[in-house]
Amino acid sequence: MNAPLQEFEQAVKHQVELLEAGYILQALDLYFNEQGKMYENDNLFGKNRAECRSKQEPYINAAKEILGKITDLKIVNTAQICIFRNKSRFIDQQNNLIQIDGVHWQKWKNGKIIEERYYHAHKLDEILSQGLLNNPESLKKN
C-alpha cells in the first residue's frame, strides 16, 4: 500500500476512534473539508464545515454523555471511500437515552472528507437492503 493510501486509512481509523470516544465535533473539525458537503437521507444538510458544525453543535453540547459505538467499518483505499454504522447513544441533561442508528458514507480527498451522506430511518433500511455496507463504491454520486 502506498503512503497516501496508508495515510487515508489511518485518518479514517482515527476519526472512528474520536467518534467512539464521543469527540464528534473534534472529529468534524479535524477531518471535514472546509468546503465539504453533508447530506442527510440524500438531502443537503450543510454546504460547508462551518454550517455542518453549527447545526450539530447544539445537539452535541446538550448531551451529558456520549457513548460512541461505530460498527461495520469498511474502507475502500483506492476510491478513498469509507462507510460505517453509527449505533452511538447520547444521554441528555434529563437522563434520557437517545439511540442513534445510521450509516455514514464518506468520500475523502487529501486527508479530508469532501462529502458525507448519513442515512437513518426509512432510508437506512433502503440502503441496507441494497447492500451498501458490503459495497460502499456503489453509492458514488459525484
Side-chain angles (χ1 to χ4, degrees):
M1 185 180 331
N2 65 34
L5 296 182
Q6 277 183 328
E7 290 169 13
F8 163 65
E9 188 169 332
Q10 288 171 351
V12 169
K13 288 179 178 178
H14 184 243
Q15 174 200 213
V16 167
E17 288 172 11
L18 289 171
L19 296 173
E20 287 187 323
Y23 298 121
I24 296 158
L25 295 175
Q26 293 87 334
L28 181 90
D29 292 341
L30 188 58
Y31 290 113
F32 208 81
N33 181 284
E34 193 174 307
Q35 298 305 316
K37 293 188 177 12
M38 191 179 289
Y39 297 85
E40 179 183 17
N41 288 341
D42 291 329
N43 298 306
L44 185 64
F45 176 81
K47 62 183 182 296
N48 57 47
R49 181 177 58 214
E51 183 177 3
C52 294
R53 191 183 207 290
S54 71
K55 287 183 174 183
Q56 291 183 27
E57 197 169 21
Y59 298 102
I60 303 302
N61 289 339
K64 186 163 76 174
E65 187 175 0
I66 299 172
L67 308 163
K69 184 176 181 184
I70 305 299
T71 65
D72 302 306
L73 174 64
K74 303 275 188 314
I75 299 171
V76 183
N77 284 312
T78 54
Q80 296 217 352
I81 290 172
C82 75
I83 191 168
F84 54 86
R85 189 136 185 203
N86 186 347
K87 293 188 163 199
S88 298
R89 296 179 295 162
F90 295 78
I91 299 173
D92 69 13
Q93 298 301 320
Q94 293 74 40
N95 291 320
N96 297 311
L97 180 67
I98 300 145
Q99 178 68 55
I100 303 297
D101 189 10
V103 167
H104 296 259
W105 178 95
Q106 299 175 335
K107 173 68 178 156
W108 291 60
K109 184 177 181 182
N110 299 322
K112 302 283 184 182
I113 301 160
I114 58 171
E115 179 182 348
E116 177 172 75
R117 292 180 178 271
Y118 176 70
Y119 295 100
H120 63 99
H122 69 283
K123 270 306 242 188
L124 174 63
D125 297 335
E126 181 182 319
I127 62 136
L128 290 177
S129 70
Q130 294 170 355
L132 184 64
L133 275 177
N134 295 320
N135 188 12
E137 290 180 281
S138 67
L139 189 66
K140 287 184 184 176
K141 299 235 179 210
N142 294 338

